[in-house]
Amino acid sequence: MDANRVFLGTYGKIFIGGVWQSNFNHLEANVEIQKRELNLAGDPWVRHKKGPMKGTGTVSGFKVTSDMITRGFDKFELISKLEDPEAFGFESITLKNVMLDKLQLANWTAGEEVKEEVSFTFEEYTLNDRVVAV
């Protein structure tokens, strides 16, 4: 493995409504699947069938605007773009029907940068651009 090809999160970007959210410096999004266990006659193995999926995530960074408060609990799309000049291209993923779990209305301490962290759920995603090793 060429260490130069490893992505650095430094070059990650978050877009909401087509607008780069330059104040956010962390994004995590995951999809979990609920598996159904099947016990079949004559089969010593527990088999698994795909069940419903659930998308969850967190975005965090510095408080710069009131955009997240204004957005409220309306659904929106979020695009994650991860690029690095030395990597094999870039990856872009659209999270669909993103809905915030809670709104951070205030969270500050005198003399410190104000940080904002928001957890969310999403329903579906699209891998727009994928990275392929050349």
Side-chain angles (χ1 to χ4, degrees):
M1 179 185 84
D2 181 354
N4 289 326
R5 300 299 185 184
V6 175
F7 280 91
L8 292 180
T10 304
Y11 301 99
K13 293 181 180 178
I14 298 168
F15 296 87
I16 297 176
V19 177
W20 177 26
Q21 306 296 304
S22 60
N23 56 309
F24 290 124
N25 60 12
H26 173 80
L27 173 63
E28 181 177 346
N30 299 292
V31 176
E32 277 185 61
I33 189 167
Q34 294 178 12
K35 295 183 222 171
R36 307 288 187 198
E37 288 189 1
L38 302 175
N39 295 311
L40 305 173
D43 188 345
W45 287 94
V46 173
R47 303 298 175 170
H48 294 89
K49 180 172 179 61
K50 290 182 190 177
M53 295 184 289
K54 180 179 181 182
T56 59
T58 303
V59 63
S60 59
F62 299 103
K63 175 82 171 173
V64 176
T65 69
S66 300
D67 286 351
M68 293 310 245
I69 296 172
T70 304
R71 189 168 306 285
F73 296 104
D74 293 337
K75 291 183 179 183
F76 60 93
E77 285 191 351
L78 183 151
I79 297 174
S80 168
K81 187 170 184 182
L82 182 59
E83 54 189 347
D84 186 317
E86 296 180 327
F88 288 117
F90 64 93
E91 180 178 85
S92 173
I93 300 172
T94 300
L95 306 180
K96 300 177 182 182
N97 297 316
V98 174
M99 186 181 344
L100 305 180
D101 293 336
K102 64 181 179 179
L103 292 176
Q104 180 176 296
L105 300 179
N107 184 11
W108 56 270
T109 302
E112 295 181 10
E113 299 87 6
V114 177
K115 296 184 178 174
E116 185 171 30
E117 180 173 292
V118 183
S119 61
F120 59 86
T121 56
F122 62 94
E123 302 161 352
E124 298 185 48
Y125 68 93
T126 301
L127 177 59
N128 305 315
D129 302 289
R130 65 187 187 114
V131 180
V132 179
V134 181

